[in-house]
Amino acid sequence: MDTGTPAAADTNKQPRTERGRRTLRKLLDAAAVEFGERGFHDASISGITARAGTALGSFYTYFDSKEAIFQALVRDMSEAVKVAAREALAEPASALERERAALTAFLRFAAEHKEVYRIIDEAEFVDPESYRQHYETTGARILDRLREGARKGELRADLEEAHAWAIMGMNVFLGLRYAVWGEGDLPAERVAAIAGDLLAKGIAVDR
Amino acid sequence: MDTGTPAAADTNKQPRTERGRRTLRKLLDAAAVEFGERGFHDASISGITARAGTALGSFYTYFDSKEAIFQALVRDMSEAVKVAAREALAEPASALERERAALTAFLRFAAEHKEVYRIIDEAEFVDPESYRQHYETTGARILDRLREGARKGELRADLEEAHAWAIMGMNVFLGLRYAVWGEGDLPAERVAAIAGDLLAKGIAVDR
Amino acid sequence: MDTGTPAAADTNKQPRTERGRRTLRKLLDAAAVEFGERGFHDASISGITARAGTALGSFYTYFDSKEAIFQALVRDMSEAVKVAAREALAEPASALERERAALTAFLRFAAEHKEVYRIIDEAEFVDPESYRQHYETTGARILDRLREGARKGELRADLEEAHAWAIMGMNVFLGLRYAVWGEGDLPAERVAAIAGDLLAKGIAVDR
Amino acid sequence: MDTGTPAAADTNKQPRTERGRRTLRKLLDAAAVEFGERGFHDASISGITARAGTALGSFYTYFDSKEAIFQALVRDMSEAVKVAAREALAEPASALERERAALTAFLRFAAEHKEVYRIIDEAEFVDPESYRQHYETTGARILDRLREGARKGELRADLEEAHAWAIMGMNVFLGLRYAVWGEGDLPAERVAAIAGDLLAKGIAVDR
DNA sequence: AATGAATGAGTTTTCATTCAT
DNA sequence: GATGAATGAAAACTCATTCAT
């Protein structure tokens, strides 16, 4: 997971040399694998440095603690998810199509980066602040899109935050079920089509 | 959280005396508080026994490990959530109304028992099997209701598992946002009305 | 150094069984040796438990930290020094003779228990509060004796705290020089006689 | 604490340039503050270089180890104490007055440089050789003065090393009590007067 | 069954010292 | 000489689990 600008570095010690920058990057990448595979508590600093190929002590040159690198990682990943969604939304389309495209992108990203799903979820227990921030930001972005759609007359005018959270929950659980657990059960497009359809007309019989 | 029949005890040592039954109950109740407050990893057996007012060693008379009591608890709670929903669905109503009632009940339950929410969620990392089981069971129940609604001609005939998971995700995230975090931001009825409305007609402008 | 009532136990966990009391005692005795030989910083918990013949973890059943057992020890020893002095002062004697007897006792005790000298001294850096308390208490006891001597007309009436500290400093340094470092250079009685003579008449030529 | 010629540098690497001399001086000054504030073990090389405003690695250009700079410092300070005393003894006076002047000077110096007191004392545990040397040298200087006084007929002829150590102990403890801890409780002159009086006549009632 | 002491593997963290630039 | 990153040995401490009573 290299997203270019490590959001994490803010809270931690910034390397001053190129060599330092490389070591920091290696640590973050190794941590993503370690946390993804073993979870926060079973992961160990020495596991991270072993994967990164650095000495144990070098970890503390860049991070104060296991929590600190985890937080750095969550913020990195939250950013990466956002970026992936933004790219999927590059081309203009109707509001409903945009939601469908966003879900497709998310499902693909989740299938590709199952560790991201796991790490962000585990943040609920390890770094609640980041967890909350991630979902509040994501929810706010969805709400923005809904309002944009309403402005264009494509969506109802009374949509509010709860609608955004409902959509986000849908997406996340469909990601859990079909991208993380049951990859192959149903292709991303199909899942996104079902959800898109639900958003378009609801589930009641056609009136 | 006393749900009467500890489903969990199955996997553990059954008390033979009345005194033993009381101790077991005290341990489970104490564990719910300890895990709810501190999370699985920060929780300690000695914290549990201290809250339960028993000796440290007594814990192992009833449970094989920290994981074992956690699992017992998760299954207890999964059961409790199911029971709460079932009660809310006692009276006959239209399919859409049933979903709304189920969400209202869930939101109320979650606000009342925030620790349940946390413990079940943490199971994703501590006891993935129980976690999965909880959501698969819950999803299956929702799907049952959807099919029932379809049979009665109230809901569309093409609803499938993905619809159930979409609804479940909606519910869970609305619970997180409005019951666990933002109790008071929006009353349960209002949240459930919004979600019900979404299910009824989607979010597009009225055709 | 077994002084009967471990003053230390106050701040730490009290054993509830006889077995526990034995373990605690073994730890304190082992710590006295370990700290005496290696000093606070070079001493290690595992060194203490190895000497005590207990498991590493058992240490933490009774003490919260290395600092905690050190403090316990310092207070134990401060008490032991007091007791040794008190015994030497049991029989009635003139005020000057009492001071001489006290110094003799102290020198003997210090020669016998060099580790006590070291540990109390190191408290200046490890546990300043105990260090201060030790010397303030000791100084106060000396002052009491001086006042008693003044009341009986044996000593000058204008003696004050500074006199007590001067005497205490004399004693401590003579202990360092002749009991701890140079045992054998000069016997305790001879050192005490010199100091006693100084107190009796000063160092100026006889008027 | 700049005493001009760092006695310590002898054992370490001598700077060859003016710039090097400045860096060395900065390190010693920083170390005095760091050791004085945090004690030897809590002090860190990086703390010293941070205060000195140099890079961590530069430390090893001038000193071989943490112990080495500590030793350098102790010898610097031992020298500084000696110098302070010598200055106070510049003018001719009676033997008793000289001792009083020496104590006054010491008390003033100690109040002014509390860190010196602490660092020299801690040497007992960090660099016992320097500690011993400091007190043996100091004791020898006092004994010299006592003998000089005896030669002039002002002091008794039978004064020996133990008298010098008794006086030194008095001085040190009065310094601890009234200069380091209780600055203000009693002015230096008053303390020195009491001690001088004790030396002059002892503490017994006037014969 | 209950009690509470004993165990020791396992992890994080520190920091003096070395090294590459 | 100066810089700052890298190293890794060493220790404190935790706590689930076992055991003796």
Side-chain angles (χ1 to χ4, degrees):
Chain A
M1 284 280 321
D2 188 336
T3 56
T5 339
D10 295 346
T11 3
N12 293 290
K13 297 153 204 158
Q14 291 282 9
R16 271 161 222 210
T17 68
E18 178 49 31
R19 188 190 181 196
R21 246 177 313 277
R22 272 200 312 278
T23 303
L24 172 56
R25 191 71 256 164
K26 282 193 290 178
L27 286 170
L28 280 169
D29 291 345
V33 179
E34 174 84 358
F35 287 134
E37 277 183 16
R38 327 197 5 170
F40 181 79
H41 288 283
D42 288 345
S44 71
I45 310 284
S46 74
I48 293 172
T49 53
R51 286 180 205 267
T54 72
L56 179 52
S58 297
F59 177 89
Y60 292 91
T61 306
Y62 300 102
F63 300 98
D64 281 337
S65 65
K66 202 165 111 170
E67 275 77 12
I69 196 175
F70 186 85
Q71 181 179 88
L73 217 47
V74 170
R75 302 198 167 177
D76 246 29
M77 288 175 163
S78 178
E79 186 65 22
V81 173
K82 188 195 325 186
V83 167
R86 186 184 302 148
E87 280 163 9
L89 297 170
E91 327 164 14
S94 80
L96 285 169
E97 269 158 13
R98 287 170 79 86
E99 289 313 310
R100 200 177 29 139
L103 176 50
T104 310
F106 173 67
L107 292 171
R108 290 218 174 101
F109 184 91
E112 203 72 26
H113 299 287
K114 297 202 169 75
E115 81 281 9
V116 174
Y117 192 96
R118 173 167 200 177
I119 290 170
I120 290 181
D121 250 34
E122 195 162 15
E124 182 178 354
F125 307 99
V126 176
D127 181 19
E129 185 47 43
S130 296
Y131 180 76
R132 193 165 181 149
Q133 204 168 97
H134 171 70
Y135 281 117
E136 284 179 348
T137 309
T138 305
R141 271 202 311 275
I142 297 180
L143 183 53
D144 282 348
R145 294 200 302 260
L146 297 184
R147 290 202 166 127
E148 167 79 4
R151 219 173 31 75
K152 290 201 271 180
E154 295 170 13
L155 301 183
R156 285 160 35 192
D158 64 347
L159 302 179
E160 55 180 289
E161 192 199 48
H163 293 94
W165 279 73
I167 293 172
M168 180 161 64
M170 253 176 48
N171 292 356
V172 170
F173 266 62
L174 291 171
L176 176 64
R177 175 63 187 80
Y178 297 104
V180 179
W181 287 350
E183 203 177 351
D185 287 14
L186 221 53
E189 291 77 16
R190 183 81 192 94
V191 174
I194 291 174
D197 179 66
L198 195 167
L199 289 186
K201 319 179 298 203
I203 60 172
V205 289
D206 261 352
R207 286 147 293 164
Chain B
M1 279 285 317
D2 188 337
T3 57
T5 339
D10 295 346
T11 16
N12 292 290
K13 300 152 197 164
Q14 291 287 1
R16 299 191 191 296
T17 69
E18 175 50 29
R19 184 193 185 194
R21 238 175 323 273
R22 273 203 312 278
T23 305
L24 172 56
R25 192 69 255 166
K26 280 194 291 178
L27 286 169
L28 279 169
D29 291 345
V33 179
E34 175 85 357
F35 285 133
E37 276 182 15
R38 330 199 359 172
F40 181 78
H41 288 282
D42 288 346
S44 69
I45 307 290
S46 78
I48 293 171
T49 53
R51 287 181 204 267
T54 73
L56 179 52
S58 299
F59 177 89
Y60 290 89
T61 305
Y62 299 101
F63 299 97
D64 280 338
S65 65
K66 193 172 153 182
E67 276 77 12
I69 195 175
F70 187 84
Q71 184 180 85
L73 219 47
V74 170
R75 301 194 170 180
D76 243 28
M77 287 175 164
S78 179
E79 185 65 22
V81 173
K82 189 194 323 185
V83 167
R86 186 182 303 147
E87 281 163 10
L89 297 170
E91 330 164 12
S94 81
L96 285 170
E97 269 158 14
R98 288 170 79 85
E99 290 313 310
R100 202 178 30 141
L103 176 50
T104 310
F106 172 68
L107 293 170
R108 290 218 175 101
F109 184 89
E112 204 72 25
H113 300 287
K114 296 201 169 77
E115 80 283 6
V116 174
Y117 191 98
R118 171 166 201 178
I119 290 170
I120 290 182
D121 251 33
E122 194 162 16
E124 181 179 355
F125 307 98
V126 175
D127 181 18
E129 185 46 44
S130 297
Y131 181 75
R132 195 165 179 148
Q133 203 167 98
H134 171 70
Y135 280 118
E136 285 178 348
T137 308
T138 306
R141 270 200 316 273
I142 297 180
L143 184 54
D144 283 350
R145 294 200 302 260
L146 296 184
R147 292 206 164 123
E148 167 80 4
R151 220 172 30 74
K152 291 201 270 180
E154 294 170 14
L155 301 183
R156 284 158 39 191
D158 63 348
L159 301 179
E160 53 180 293
E161 191 198 51
H163 292 94
W165 279 72
I167 293 171
M168 180 162 62
M170 258 176 43
N171 291 357
V172 170
F173 266 63
L174 291 171
L176 176 63
R177 174 64 185 81
Y178 297 103
V180 178
W181 288 349
E183 203 177 350
D185 287 13
L186 221 54
E189 292 76 16
R190 182 84 191 92
V191 175
I194 291 174
D197 178 65
L198 195 168
L199 289 185
K201 320 180 299 201
I203 60 173
V205 289
D206 263 352
R207 284 149 293 163
Chain C
M1 283 279 323
D2 188 337
T3 57
T5 337
D10 295 344
T11 3
N12 294 290
K13 297 153 206 159
Q14 291 282 10
R16 273 160 219 209
T17 67
E18 179 49 31
R19 189 188 179 198
R21 245 177 315 276
R22 273 200 311 277
T23 304
L24 173 56
R25 191 70 256 165
K26 282 193 290 179
L27 286 169
L28 280 169
D29 291 345
V33 179
E34 174 83 359
F35 285 133
E37 276 183 16
R38 328 197 6 168
F40 181 80
H41 288 283
D42 288 344
S44 70
I45 309 286
S46 75
I48 293 172
T49 52
R51 287 180 204 267
T54 72
L56 178 53
S58 297
F59 177 89
Y60 293 93
T61 305
Y62 299 103
F63 299 98
D64 280 338
S65 65
K66 202 165 113 171
E67 275 77 11
I69 197 175
F70 186 86
Q71 183 180 87
L73 217 49
V74 170
R75 301 195 171 181
D76 245 27
M77 288 175 163
S78 178
E79 186 66 22
V81 173
K82 187 195 323 185
V83 167
R86 185 183 304 148
E87 281 162 10
L89 297 170
E91 328 162 15
S94 80
L96 284 170
E97 269 159 13
R98 288 170 78 84
E99 289 314 309
R100 200 176 32 137
L103 176 50
T104 309
F106 171 68
L107 292 171
R108 290 218 173 102
F109 184 89
E112 203 72 25
H113 299 287
K114 296 201 169 77
E115 82 281 9
V116 174
Y117 192 95
R118 173 168 199 175
I119 289 170
I120 290 182
D121 250 35
E122 196 163 14
E124 182 178 353
F125 307 99
V126 175
D127 180 20
E129 185 47 43
S130 296
Y131 180 76
R132 193 166 181 147
Q133 204 167 96
H134 170 71
Y135 280 118
E136 284 179 348
T137 308
T138 305
R141 271 202 312 275
I142 298 180
L143 183 54
D144 282 348
R145 295 201 301 261
L146 298 183
R147 290 207 165 123
E148 167 79 5
R151 221 174 29 77
K152 291 200 272 182
E154 295 171 13
L155 301 182
R156 285 160 36 193
D158 63 348
L159 301 179
E160 54 180 291
E161 190 198 50
H163 292 94
W165 278 73
I167 292 171
M168 179 161 64
M170 258 177 44
N171 292 356
V172 170
F173 266 64
L174 291 171
L176 175 64
R177 174 64 187 81
Y178 297 104
V180 179
W181 287 350
E183 202 177 351
D185 288 13
L186 222 54
E189 292 76 14
R190 182 83 192 91
V191 175
I194 291 175
D197 178 67
L198 195 167
L199 289 185
K201 318 179 302 202
I203 60 174
V205 290
D206 263 353
R207 281 147 296 162
Chain D
M1 281 282 320
D2 188 338
T3 57
T5 339
D10 295 346
T11 15
N12 292 289
K13 300 152 198 165
Q14 290 286 1
R16 297 189 192 296
T17 69
E18 177 50 28
R19 184 195 185 191
R21 236 172 328 271
R22 272 202 313 276
T23 304
L24 172 57
R25 191 69 255 165
K26 280 193 292 179
L27 285 169
L28 280 169
D29 291 345
V33 179
E34 174 85 357
F35 286 133
E37 276 182 16
R38 330 199 1 172
F40 181 79
H41 287 282
D42 287 347
S44 69
I45 307 289
S46 79
I48 293 172
T49 53
R51 287 180 204 267
T54 73
L56 179 52
S58 299
F59 177 89
Y60 290 90
T61 305
Y62 299 101
F63 298 98
D64 280 337
S65 66
K66 194 172 152 182
E67 275 77 12
I69 196 174
F70 187 85
Q71 184 180 85
L73 219 47
V74 170
R75 301 197 169 176
D76 244 29
M77 288 174 164
S78 178
E79 185 66 22
V81 174
K82 188 195 322 185
V83 167
R86 186 182 303 147
E87 281 163 11
L89 298 169
E91 330 165 10
S94 82
L96 284 171
E97 267 158 14
R98 287 170 79 84
E99 289 313 310
R100 202 179 29 144
L103 175 52
T104 309
F106 171 68
L107 292 171
R108 289 218 174 103
F109 184 88
E112 204 71 26
H113 300 288
K114 297 199 168 82
E115 81 283 8
V116 174
Y117 191 96
R118 170 165 201 178
I119 289 171
I120 290 182
D121 250 33
E122 193 162 17
E124 181 178 355
F125 307 98
V126 175
D127 180 19
E129 186 45 45
S130 296
Y131 180 76
R132 195 166 179 147
Q133 203 169 97
H134 171 70
Y135 279 118
E136 285 179 347
T137 309
T138 306
R141 270 200 315 276
I142 297 180
L143 183 54
D144 283 350
R145 295 200 302 261
L146 297 184
R147 290 203 166 126
E148 167 81 5
R151 219 171 32 74
K152 292 201 270 179
E154 295 171 13
L155 301 183
R156 283 158 39 190
D158 63 350
L159 301 180
E160 54 180 289
E161 190 198 50
H163 292 93
W165 278 74
I167 293 172
M168 180 162 63
M170 251 176 49
N171 292 356
V172 170
F173 267 62
L174 291 171
L176 176 64
R177 174 63 186 83
Y178 297 104
V180 178
W181 288 350
E183 203 177 352
D185 287 14
L186 221 56
E189 292 76 17
R190 183 81 191 94
V191 174
I194 290 174
D197 178 67
L198 195 168
L199 289 185
K201 325 178 296 205
I203 60 173
V205 290
D206 263 352
R207 286 147 295 164

